[in-house]
Amino acid sequence: MEKLNFASDYLEGAHPLILEKLLAANLEKNTGYSTDKYCISAKEKIRASCNAPEAEIHFLVGGTQTNAMVIKYLLAAYQGVIAPATGHISLHEVGAIEHGGHKVLCVPEYNGKLKAADVEKMVKDFQNDGNKDMMVMPGMVYISQPTESGTLYSLKEMEEIAKVCRENDLYLYVDGARLAYALGCPENDVTLPDLARLCDCFYIGGTKCGTFVGEAVVFPKPGLIPHFYSLTKQHGAMLAKGWFLGLQYDALFTDGLYEEIGKKAILLADKIRKKVTQKGWKLCYGSPTNQVFVELPDETLKKVEEKVIVSFWEKTKENDTTIRFATSWATTEADVEKLFLVLDSI
Amino acid sequence: MEKLNFASDYLEGAHPLILEKLLAANLEKNTGYSTDKYCISAKEKIRASCNAPEAEIHFLVGGTQTNAMVIKYLLAAYQGVIAPATGHISLHEVGAIEHGGHKVLCVPEYNGKLKAADVEKMVKDFQNDGNKDMMVMPGMVYISQPTESGTLYSLKEMEEIAKVCRENDLYLYVDGARLAYALGCPENDVTLPDLARLCDCFYIGGTKCGTFVGEAVVFPKPGLIPHFYSLTKQHGAMLAKGWFLGLQYDALFTDGLYEEIGKKAILLADKIRKKVTQKGWKLCYGSPTNQVFVELPDETLKKVEEKVIVSFWEKTKENDTTIRFATSWATTEADVEKLFLVLDSI
Amino acid sequence: MEKLNFASDYLEGAHPLILEKLLAANLEKNTGYSTDKYCISAKEKIRASCNAPEAEIHFLVGGTQTNAMVIKYLLAAYQGVIAPATGHISLHEVGAIEHGGHKVLCVPEYNGKLKAADVEKMVKDFQNDGNKDMMVMPGMVYISQPTESGTLYSLKEMEEIAKVCRENDLYLYVDGARLAYALGCPENDVTLPDLARLCDCFYIGGTKCGTFVGEAVVFPKPGLIPHFYSLTKQHGAMLAKGWFLGLQYDALFTDGLYEEIGKKAILLADKIRKKVTQKGWKLCYGSPTNQVFVELPDETLKKVEEKVIVSFWEKTKENDTTIRFATSWATTEADVEKLFLVLDSI
Amino acid sequence: MEKLNFASDYLEGAHPLILEKLLAANLEKNTGYSTDKYCISAKEKIRASCNAPEAEIHFLVGGTQTNAMVIKYLLAAYQGVIAPATGHISLHEVGAIEHGGHKVLCVPEYNGKLKAADVEKMVKDFQNDGNKDMMVMPGMVYISQPTESGTLYSLKEMEEIAKVCRENDLYLYVDGARLAYALGCPENDVTLPDLARLCDCFYIGGTKCGTFVGEAVVFPKPGLIPHFYSLTKQHGAMLAKGWFLGLQYDALFTDGLYEEIGKKAILLADKIRKKVTQKGWKLCYGSPTNQVFVELPDETLKKVEEKVIVSFWEKTKENDTTIRFATSWATTEADVEKLFLVLDSI
């Protein structure tokens, strides 16, 4: 019997409404390089959803590419990017940010989140250092919503961070690889218009939120990075068939699909959290979104892994390991019921 | 009435056989980052088609990205890449190669092709220069098959180039963005196994040859660029849903589809060439593939463009312009008949 | 007997007035990283000589380093630098500009100089190209004064170039590696204040004009490249003992030494030109400065090289070669007389 | 009265024996780009001193430049460099290593030194990580001798580090900016031949050890970085008057000057350490070399700084600060006596 698979939220293809639209458009002749009607329409819809009528939007292919480009082209050569020590750019992108020439300046993380006060301290320490001309100047703050630990910044927290950024000439950039799972979470109070109001740049994740591929980068104020369009070509981030990305986002932003698409995943993750608690296992990080982190005795984990594919997260203690169950827009009640049969049998 | 569109070969989506396979797989749970069954199967099939059982294969997203990565990671910092003056990397990638740190060393082009003798001369001139330690060392030859002008290297020509490369420690890299239209052309005598035998690296184009996105990079000898897999992640060229690329190539290399997919496009391009000649217009560059270049009086062009979208190529004379009609795997007899109605009316 | 050496203008050490000042200062305790009194004084003197009271000045170590830094940090990632095909950056810096990420866009050269009209044409061609978003945008003009061929831009020519630059949003950067030999040339009508008025950046060469090492970069309008000071540290172009450079420039700009230092070299070069003409040999490029280019039959050259070290320039014809005799501030009448004894004997 | 200056070891110019040699050579005509007799002689002498007859040696201009080049060209794009958290490259080079594309992987520091065991742990953790293909691979260890805290690796410690490097395919690179002050320290047991035997690359500092400028990079096994000579040109690290560096090293390696030059500085630093202890002030880090680190109450520091320039090191406690007194080859007994008069008066 095939194993159950809760390893991640990028296992399946695209949402049925995207697929439908794609089938209808497949043999149309659309113009190239994101000049097509789908890109135009999707951008309009995203601007409306973000309440950012002037926003400049680009459809890129993946998250690492997006992070690498935004950070590289926003920072001056002498600047670095502040990120929590567990940030995706700090750990899991093979040094893509350094490859682009910039240091990642790590601040402490608290369940995946950084604190405005720590950012402010880092900036002040830099400004007060007699050798600051020989050091990397903080130029930007990078955070993820939800974070790599599944947690959410509250609106209040994000406003504090944005305030520190404004007061200290730091750009604020939000990695929204899993943004739909923030927007679909009852605990969340940061909306797309909030992001557009508070950030200099953010991206609306597609790959993990319903598309085959694609991430939508939003610059609420246009022209922040001049000629970003040419830069996407130079960086190899532009598709000849840009319409393929535009079409998917056009579907995601029709009738509020993007804000809806994560909701079921959260409900199913909540069910898993409840079950885990019932089993007496330990939930980690306090994630309220689609990622469920569980610390398990290795012996128990072994039994789980006989029937379920999960993600290894970290070795927590000598005999304990933290793993992740992830749900997605495509996870079904049936999937979770099968998972529970397994968990109940352990 | 909507205009006819012969502007390029990347207007439509994916080949029906790809679409079919995609629909069937959409809700499967495939593992991430190209470790899935489709990638594995597609690579096996490509190795077989190339008669290169050891080949290392990676699925990337686009042509500029592929060129940028292969050239950057194959060359040493002090080396440059030899290319014809009309090569895609010389002109149309916003300096992506220089962005990666390397000079494009242009040799003369003859209908889009370079000559082995010119390559050899450039290398010898370098080697004989008393100041060569202060100059960019040629490290690689870049060519396209078919070229940007639609022309084809014969097997003899490619063997001559490969010989010069081997004798002078130059890598040979072939950009196959439109490779299906070479393989599908009666005039072509360079097969996939020939490419695998003669090149250090080449890529089998997908975007222009039947996929939504995707290019398959082939290193006939594995390990030529160590850890290329990690480099694709660093460069932002790796998809979480790598299976989406693998699946498309798996379809393209089932039952010889890739070798077939360009044939109809060539036949239809031949028809256009015949019609153009009948009209007394001038065919350019001698392209035998899916791109038809025509030099037209501007007055005539104006009439064509009222009803047909074509690609501007270059201003040839004061009142003459060269344009391109491109066919693709998706172009139909009906499309061409409609075009002829227009052309006949001019 | 040791051979005579006219190979270049960087054979000897430093001007006696520099050496004297250096000896006096050797055991002083000067503060580090260009914060010392010599740097401060030298900058003031250079500002005065350039009639540019606001100018920002940095002392770097060498010409390639200076070119690489200025071009890299002034250009946006999508831009390239226009240069004559024989420009130093085009040929002789192992691709340092491309290593910094930018394409060198070559225009025709006329005895080492480019023409304003060719620059304008290149910019217009770019602006009119339908695919310009996929191409490298011209962002800057690089010229040398004197050029690599020893020639000089007249004030009129430089003003025309500056005008084209201003009208087309191009920076104008002048490489003054041998600037003292322009300023010391009777034919020259471009002064330091002219350069400061017309350029966005230029450098006042030291290595070839009297210092051990060092080049002084001048930005007439300060802040053009923010935090250039930190960038010099990042780039490895900042000396802990920055005073060593400042002191040399302080000497060069005391009592007009820099404007004087090239004069004798020009007079001696003029003598060599006269002698060459008397011998019936061909002077090349029309250089009026300290570099004397001569086309010789290879047989004659062989005899010259038995007793004199010269620089090979290029193979001009089957049996003819162009070579260079260079004089410097350190060349003496006696050196030239010895050279004439050799030339007379051939 | 001018303040006493103990701020650093790069305040003065060059050692008298260097100056003497320079005066003698100033008007010689030496060939360019390090092909001169002084470079050749200096390299021979360094090879002899290092007992490394095959060593490849290059004279560069400064430490940051040297670190940036060696690390950039030795590492593959997917690799990073392991360094102690207080390493010069970690903190004080404006991110020069990241600017070159590589992450600095910090391990704990113990008085400025890293431990072999920590390096081994980092490598093993990487190798055991299921996601290692998405992470930066450790490729090299960077240490300084003496360290930034003035401490020394013992031969035993360095051999342990070298062993871990060899066993784990890591390059070992030693930054010897102040190497003369290690070699001149009685406590030191790591010789030049030891460095040549244990390292893949190290540099013999000049700027802080007797030259005006200049650092000598030693690759005990030649060819480790192919065409490093051309790379120095590309990087702007090559001097036209390379002989100016060669001559200085030729003097430093004549009659054992380099091994001697630091001795007096150590003796004088020892005196300062004794005096500091007598005053009841706290010595930090246990530095036995030419840098004396002292933790002082801010009130006391204020009095010191009225008459002596020292280097601020770090704010240690609310009201305490750590500062540095540095001696150099040029510091005299008289300088120290004047310092003691000041200290005694506090």
Side-chain angles (χ1 to χ4, degrees):
Chain A
M1 200 192 89
E2 211 181 345
K3 282 190 186 182
L4 298 175
N5 194 336
F6 283 82
S8 76
D9 37 20
Y10 46 80
L11 302 171
E12 298 92 354
H15 190 276
L17 288 173
I18 288 177
L19 212 48
E20 190 182 301
K21 201 172 187 95
L22 187 60
L23 285 171
N26 190 50
L27 293 179
E28 289 176 8
K29 295 183 196 296
N30 279 293
T31 56
Y33 298 106
S34 303
T35 60
D36 64 281
K37 64 187 176 199
Y38 295 110
C39 285
I40 292 168
S41 166
K43 289 177 185 180
E44 266 322 305
K45 289 175 181 169
I46 291 173
R47 285 187 197 102
S49 291
C50 294
N51 193 22
E54 303 295 324
E56 176 179 341
I57 296 164
H58 296 268
F59 299 114
L60 303 187
V61 177
T64 295
Q65 183 183 75
T66 304
N67 291 338
M69 286 192 66
V70 169
I71 293 170
K72 174 175 190 169
Y73 295 123
L74 269 186
L75 290 182
Y78 47 85
Q79 294 179 318
V81 53
I82 297 175
T86 48
H88 205 256
I89 59 169
S90 313
L91 288 178
H92 287 112
E93 300 184 348
V94 200
I97 305 310
E98 291 84 2
H99 184 62
H102 300 282
K103 198 178 188 80
V104 179
L105 302 162
C106 288
V107 287
E109 59 92 23
Y110 310 86
N111 288 329
K113 297 196 281 182
L114 56 70
K115 289 188 177 170
D118 288 330
V119 170
E120 190 160 31
K121 183 179 182 318
M122 178 175 271
V123 174
K124 296 305 177 204
D125 285 352
F126 170 79
Q127 287 167 348
N128 294 330
D129 196 304
N131 286 317
K132 71 177 172 183
D133 287 335
M134 308 296 169
M135 299 172 75
V136 175
M137 176 193 288
M140 177 186 235
V141 168
Y142 164 96
I143 57 175
S144 308
Q145 177 81 332
T147 68
E148 286 70 19
S149 304
T151 48
L152 293 172
Y153 288 91
S154 69
L155 182 57
K156 183 162 170 296
E157 288 169 333
M158 205 166 282
E159 284 180 333
E160 284 167 0
I161 295 168
K163 184 162 174 286
V164 167
C165 287
R166 270 195 313 274
E167 290 172 356
N168 292 282
D169 283 327
L170 302 170
Y171 292 114
L172 176 57
Y173 168 54
V174 175
D175 176 333
R178 292 187 167 93
L179 192 55
Y181 303 110
L183 300 179
C185 182
E187 190 179 291
N188 177 61
D189 64 352
V190 181
T191 63
L192 284 171
D194 288 330
L195 288 171
R197 177 172 55 87
L198 296 171
C199 303
D200 296 288
C201 182
F202 64 101
Y203 83 85
I204 301 172
T207 302
K208 290 165 182 161
C209 306
T211 66
F212 286 114
V213 294
E215 320 294 330
V217 187
V218 181
F219 297 100
K221 287 181 193 149
L224 186 63
I225 301 177
H227 294 275
F228 194 78
Y229 181 73
S230 284
L231 292 173
T232 63
K233 177 65 179 171
Q234 183 186 61
H235 203 86
M238 185 189 278
L239 297 187
K241 296 183 186 171
W243 66 264
F244 176 68
L245 300 177
L247 176 145
Q248 294 181 80
Y249 273 90
D250 197 42
L252 279 181
F253 279 83
T254 298
D255 298 333
L257 177 57
Y258 195 78
E259 286 89 341
E260 286 297 318
I261 201 171
K263 286 188 179 169
K264 196 180 68 185
I266 306 293
L267 287 176
L268 295 175
D270 283 342
K271 285 196 176 182
I272 298 174
R273 276 186 277 268
K274 198 170 160 195
K275 169 66 73 178
V276 161
T277 308
Q278 285 169 353
K279 302 276 309 175
W281 297 341
K282 185 183 165 191
L283 287 172
C284 303
Y285 317 139
S287 161
T289 57
N290 72 314
Q291 300 181 81
V292 181
F293 299 92
V294 185
E295 186 180 323
L296 284 175
D298 289 346
E299 212 166 313
T300 311
L301 175 56
K302 211 173 146 189
K303 289 180 193 158
V304 173
E305 288 189 321
E306 278 168 21
K307 299 196 174 157
V308 189
I309 305 174
V310 296
S311 276
F312 167 87
W313 215 246
E314 57 173 340
K315 201 83 195 77
T316 328
K317 298 188 197 128
E318 178 72 31
N319 298 307
D320 286 1
T321 299
T322 297
I323 57 154
R324 180 185 71 178
F325 296 96
T327 60
S328 82
W329 59 270
T331 308
T332 62
E333 291 274 356
D335 291 330
V336 174
E337 277 163 26
K338 282 182 210 157
L339 174 65
F340 287 3
L341 286 179
V342 173
L343 299 189
D344 286 340
S345 73
I346 291 171
Chain B
M1 199 191 89
E2 212 181 345
K3 282 190 187 183
L4 296 176
N5 194 337
F6 283 83
S8 76
D9 37 19
Y10 46 78
L11 302 171
E12 298 92 355
H15 190 276
L17 289 173
I18 287 177
L19 211 49
E20 188 181 302
K21 201 173 188 96
L22 186 60
L23 284 172
N26 190 49
L27 292 179
E28 289 175 7
K29 295 181 195 299
N30 279 293
T31 55
Y33 298 106
S34 303
T35 59
D36 64 280
K37 65 188 175 197
Y38 295 110
C39 284
I40 293 168
S41 166
K43 289 177 185 181
E44 266 321 307
K45 290 175 181 169
I46 291 173
R47 285 186 197 101
S49 291
C50 294
N51 194 21
E54 304 296 325
E56 177 180 341
I57 296 164
H58 297 268
F59 299 114
L60 302 186
V61 177
T64 296
Q65 182 183 76
T66 304
N67 291 338
M69 286 191 67
V70 168
I71 292 170
K72 174 174 191 169
Y73 295 122
L74 269 185
L75 290 182
Y78 47 84
Q79 293 179 318
V81 53
I82 298 174
T86 48
H88 204 258
I89 59 168
S90 312
L91 287 178
H92 287 112
E93 301 184 349
V94 199
I97 305 311
E98 291 84 1
H99 183 64
H102 300 282
K103 200 179 188 77
V104 179
L105 303 161
C106 289
V107 288
E109 59 91 22
Y110 310 86
N111 288 329
K113 298 195 281 181
L114 57 69
K115 288 190 177 168
D118 288 329
V119 170
E120 190 159 32
K121 181 177 183 318
M122 177 175 272
V123 174
K124 296 304 178 206
D125 283 352
F126 170 81
Q127 288 167 347
N128 293 331
D129 195 301
N131 285 317
K132 72 176 171 185
D133 287 334
M134 309 294 168
M135 299 172 75
V136 175
M137 176 192 289
M140 178 186 233
V141 169
Y142 164 96
I143 56 174
S144 308
Q145 176 82 333
T147 69
E148 289 70 19
S149 305
T151 48
L152 294 172
Y153 289 91
S154 69
L155 182 56
K156 183 162 169 296
E157 288 169 334
M158 205 168 281
E159 284 180 334
E160 283 167 1
I161 295 168
K163 185 162 174 285
V164 166
C165 287
R166 269 196 314 276
E167 289 172 357
N168 292 282
D169 282 328
L170 302 170
Y171 292 114
L172 177 55
Y173 168 55
V174 175
D175 177 333
R178 294 189 166 91
L179 191 55
Y181 303 109
L183 299 179
C185 181
E187 190 180 290
N188 177 62
D189 64 351
V190 180
T191 63
L192 285 171
D194 289 328
L195 288 171
R197 177 172 57 85
L198 297 171
C199 303
D200 296 288
C201 183
F202 64 102
Y203 83 86
I204 300 173
T207 301
K208 290 165 181 161
C209 306
T211 65
F212 287 112
V213 293
E215 320 294 331
V217 187
V218 182
F219 297 100
K221 286 181 192 148
L224 186 63
I225 301 178
H227 295 275
F228 194 79
Y229 181 72
S230 285
L231 292 172
T232 63
K233 176 66 178 169
Q234 184 187 61
H235 203 84
M238 184 189 278
L239 297 187
K241 297 182 185 170
W243 65 265
F244 176 70
L245 301 177
L247 176 146
Q248 295 181 81
Y249 273 90
D250 197 42
L252 279 181
F253 280 83
T254 298
D255 299 333
L257 176 57
Y258 195 79
E259 286 90 341
E260 286 297 318
I261 201 171
K263 286 188 179 169
K264 198 181 64 184
I266 306 293
L267 288 177
L268 295 175
D270 283 343
K271 286 196 174 182
I272 298 173
R273 277 186 277 268
K274 199 172 160 193
K275 168 66 71 179
V276 161
T277 308
Q278 286 170 353
K279 302 276 308 174
W281 298 341
K282 185 183 166 192
L283 288 171
C284 303
Y285 316 139
S287 161
T289 58
N290 72 313
Q291 300 180 82
V292 180
F293 299 92
V294 184
E295 186 180 323
L296 285 174
D298 290 345
E299 211 166 317
T300 311
L301 176 56
K302 212 174 145 188
K303 289 180 195 160
V304 172
E305 288 188 323
E306 278 166 22
K307 300 195 174 161
V308 189
I309 305 174
V310 297
S311 278
F312 167 86
W313 216 246
E314 56 173 340
K315 201 84 195 74
T316 327
K317 295 184 201 137
E318 178 71 31
N319 298 307
D320 285 2
T321 300
T322 297
I323 57 155
R324 179 184 73 179
F325 296 96
T327 61
S328 83
W329 59 269
T331 308
T332 62
E333 291 274 356
D335 291 330
V336 173
E337 278 162 24
K338 283 183 211 157
L339 173 65
F340 286 3
L341 285 179
V342 174
L343 299 190
D344 286 341
S345 73
I346 292 174
Chain C
M1 201 192 88
E2 210 180 345
K3 282 190 185 182
L4 297 175
N5 194 337
F6 283 83
S8 76
D9 37 21
Y10 45 80
L11 302 171
E12 298 92 354
H15 190 276
L17 289 173
I18 287 177
L19 212 48
E20 190 182 300
K21 201 173 187 97
L22 187 59
L23 284 172
N26 191 49
L27 292 180
E28 290 175 7
K29 294 183 195 299
N30 279 294
T31 56
Y33 298 107
S34 302
T35 59
D36 64 280
K37 64 186 176 199
Y38 295 110
C39 284
I40 291 168
S41 166
K43 289 178 186 180
E44 266 321 305
K45 290 175 181 169
I46 291 173
R47 284 187 198 102
S49 291
C50 293
N51 194 20
E54 304 295 325
E56 177 180 340
I57 296 164
H58 296 268
F59 300 113
L60 303 187
V61 177
T64 296
Q65 183 183 76
T66 303
N67 291 337
M69 286 191 66
V70 168
I71 293 171
K72 174 175 189 167
Y73 294 123
L74 270 185
L75 290 182
Y78 47 86
Q79 294 178 318
V81 53
I82 298 175
T86 48
H88 205 255
I89 59 168
S90 312
L91 287 178
H92 286 113
E93 301 185 346
V94 198
I97 305 310
E98 291 84 1
H99 184 61
H102 300 282
K103 198 178 189 81
V104 179
L105 302 162
C106 289
V107 287
E109 59 92 22
Y110 310 87
N111 287 330
K113 297 195 281 181
L114 57 69
K115 289 190 176 168
D118 289 330
V119 170
E120 189 159 30
K121 182 178 182 316
M122 179 176 271
V123 174
K124 296 303 178 208
D125 285 352
F126 170 79
Q127 287 167 348
N128 294 330
D129 196 301
N131 285 317
K132 72 176 170 183
D133 287 333
M134 309 295 169
M135 299 172 77
V136 174
M137 176 193 289
M140 177 186 234
V141 168
Y142 164 96
I143 56 175
S144 308
Q145 176 82 333
T147 69
E148 287 70 20
S149 304
T151 48
L152 294 171
Y153 288 91
S154 69
L155 182 57
K156 182 162 172 294
E157 288 169 333
M158 206 168 281
E159 284 180 333
E160 284 167 2
I161 294 168
K163 184 162 175 283
V164 167
C165 286
R166 270 196 313 276
E167 290 172 357
N168 292 283
D169 282 327
L170 302 170
Y171 292 114
L172 176 56
Y173 168 56
V174 175
D175 177 334
R178 293 189 167 91
L179 191 55
Y181 303 109
L183 300 178
C185 182
E187 191 179 289
N188 178 61
D189 63 353
V190 181
T191 64
L192 285 171
D194 288 329
L195 287 171
R197 178 173 55 87
L198 296 171
C199 303
D200 297 288
C201 182
F202 64 102
Y203 82 85
I204 300 173
T207 301
K208 290 165 181 161
C209 305
T211 66
F212 287 115
V213 294
E215 320 293 332
V217 187
V218 182
F219 297 99
K221 289 184 190 144
L224 186 63
I225 301 177
H227 294 275
F228 194 78
Y229 181 73
S230 285
L231 293 172
T232 62
K233 177 65 178 169
Q234 184 187 61
H235 203 84
M238 184 188 279
L239 297 187
K241 297 182 185 171
W243 66 266
F244 176 69
L245 301 178
L247 177 145
Q248 295 182 81
Y249 272 90
D250 197 42
L252 280 181
F253 278 85
T254 298
D255 299 333
L257 176 57
Y258 195 79
E259 286 90 341
E260 286 297 318
I261 201 171
K263 286 188 179 168
K264 197 179 65 184
I266 306 293
L267 287 176
L268 296 175
D270 283 342
K271 287 196 175 185
I272 298 174
R273 276 186 277 269
K274 198 172 160 193
K275 170 65 72 180
V276 162
T277 308
Q278 285 169 353
K279 303 276 309 174
W281 297 342
K282 184 182 166 191
L283 287 172
C284 303
Y285 317 140
S287 161
T289 57
N290 73 313
Q291 300 181 81
V292 181
F293 299 92
V294 184
E295 187 180 324
L296 286 174
D298 289 346
E299 211 167 313
T300 310
L301 175 57
K302 210 173 149 189
K303 289 179 195 158
V304 172
E305 289 189 321
E306 278 166 22
K307 299 195 176 161
V308 189
I309 305 174
V310 297
S311 276
F312 167 86
W313 215 246
E314 56 172 339
K315 202 86 193 72
T316 327
K317 298 189 198 127
E318 178 73 30
N319 297 309
D320 285 2
T321 299
T322 296
I323 57 154
R324 180 184 70 178
F325 296 96
T327 60
S328 82
W329 58 270
T331 309
T332 62
E333 292 275 356
D335 291 330
V336 174
E337 278 162 25
K338 284 183 208 155
L339 174 65
F340 287 3
L341 286 178
V342 174
L343 298 190
D344 286 341
S345 73
I346 291 172
Chain D
M1 199 190 88
E2 212 181 345
K3 282 190 185 181
L4 297 175
N5 194 337
F6 283 83
S8 77
D9 37 18
Y10 46 79
L11 302 171
E12 298 92 355
H15 190 275
L17 289 172
I18 287 177
L19 211 48
E20 190 182 302
K21 203 175 186 96
L22 187 60
L23 285 171
N26 190 50
L27 292 180
E28 289 176 8
K29 294 182 194 299
N30 279 293
T31 56
Y33 298 107
S34 302
T35 59
D36 64 280
K37 65 188 174 197
Y38 295 110
C39 285
I40 292 167
S41 167
K43 290 178 185 180
E44 265 323 305
K45 290 174 182 169
I46 292 173
R47 284 186 197 102
S49 291
C50 294
N51 193 21
E54 304 295 326
E56 176 179 342
I57 295 165
H58 297 267
F59 300 115
L60 302 187
V61 177
T64 296
Q65 183 183 75
T66 305
N67 290 337
M69 286 192 65
V70 168
I71 293 171
K72 176 175 189 168
Y73 295 122
L74 269 185
L75 291 182
Y78 47 84
Q79 293 179 319
V81 53
I82 298 175
T86 48
H88 204 258
I89 60 167
S90 312
L91 288 179
H92 288 111
E93 300 184 349
V94 200
I97 305 310
E98 292 83 2
H99 184 62
H102 300 282
K103 199 180 189 79
V104 179
L105 303 162
C106 288
V107 288
E109 59 92 23
Y110 310 87
N111 287 329
K113 298 195 282 182
L114 57 69
K115 289 190 176 168
D118 289 329
V119 169
E120 189 160 31
K121 182 179 182 317
M122 178 175 271
V123 175
K124 295 305 178 206
D125 285 352
F126 170 80
Q127 287 167 349
N128 293 330
D129 196 301
N131 286 316
K132 71 176 171 183
D133 287 335
M134 308 296 168
M135 299 172 76
V136 175
M137 177 193 288
M140 177 186 235
V141 169
Y142 164 97
I143 56 175
S144 308
Q145 176 82 334
T147 68
E148 287 70 21
S149 305
T151 49
L152 294 172
Y153 289 91
S154 69
L155 182 57
K156 184 165 170 293
E157 289 169 333
M158 206 168 280
E159 284 180 333
E160 284 167 1
I161 295 167
K163 185 163 174 283
V164 167
C165 287
R166 271 196 313 276
E167 290 172 358
N168 293 283
D169 282 326
L170 302 170
Y171 291 114
L172 176 56
Y173 168 55
V174 175
D175 177 333
R178 294 188 165 91
L179 192 55
Y181 303 108
L183 300 179
C185 181
E187 191 179 288
N188 177 62
D189 65 350
V190 180
T191 63
L192 285 171
D194 288 330
L195 287 171
R197 176 172 56 84
L198 296 171
C199 303
D200 297 287
C201 182
F202 63 102
Y203 83 87
I204 300 172
T207 302
K208 290 165 180 161
C209 305
T211 65
F212 286 114
V213 293
E215 320 294 331
V217 188
V218 182
F219 296 100
K221 288 182 191 147
L224 185 63
I225 301 177
H227 295 274
F228 194 77
Y229 181 72
S230 285
L231 292 173
T232 62
K233 176 67 178 167
Q234 183 186 62
H235 202 85
M238 184 189 278
L239 297 186
K241 298 182 185 171
W243 65 266
F244 176 69
L245 301 177
L247 176 145
Q248 295 182 79
Y249 273 89
D250 197 41
L252 280 181
F253 279 83
T254 298
D255 298 333
L257 176 57
Y258 194 80
E259 286 90 342
E260 286 297 318
I261 201 171
K263 285 188 179 169
K264 196 180 67 184
I266 306 292
L267 287 177
L268 295 175
D270 283 343
K271 285 195 177 185
I272 298 174
R273 277 186 275 268
K274 199 172 159 193
K275 169 66 72 179
V276 161
T277 307
Q278 285 169 354
K279 303 275 310 175
W281 297 342
K282 186 184 166 190
L283 287 171
C284 303
Y285 316 141
S287 161
T289 57
N290 72 314
Q291 300 181 81
V292 181
F293 299 92
V294 184
E295 186 180 323
L296 284 175
D298 289 346
E299 211 166 316
T300 311
L301 175 55
K302 212 173 146 188
K303 290 180 194 160
V304 172
E305 288 189 324
E306 277 166 24
K307 300 193 175 163
V308 189
I309 305 174
V310 297
S311 277
F312 167 86
W313 215 245
E314 58 173 339
K315 200 85 195 76
T316 327
K317 295 184 199 134
E318 178 71 32
N319 297 307
D320 286 1
T321 299
T322 296
I323 57 154
R324 179 184 71 177
F325 296 96
T327 60
S328 82
W329 59 270
T331 308
T332 62
E333 291 274 355
D335 291 330
V336 174
E337 278 163 26
K338 282 182 211 158
L339 174 65
F340 286 3
L341 285 179
V342 174
L343 298 190
D344 287 340
S345 73
I346 291 172

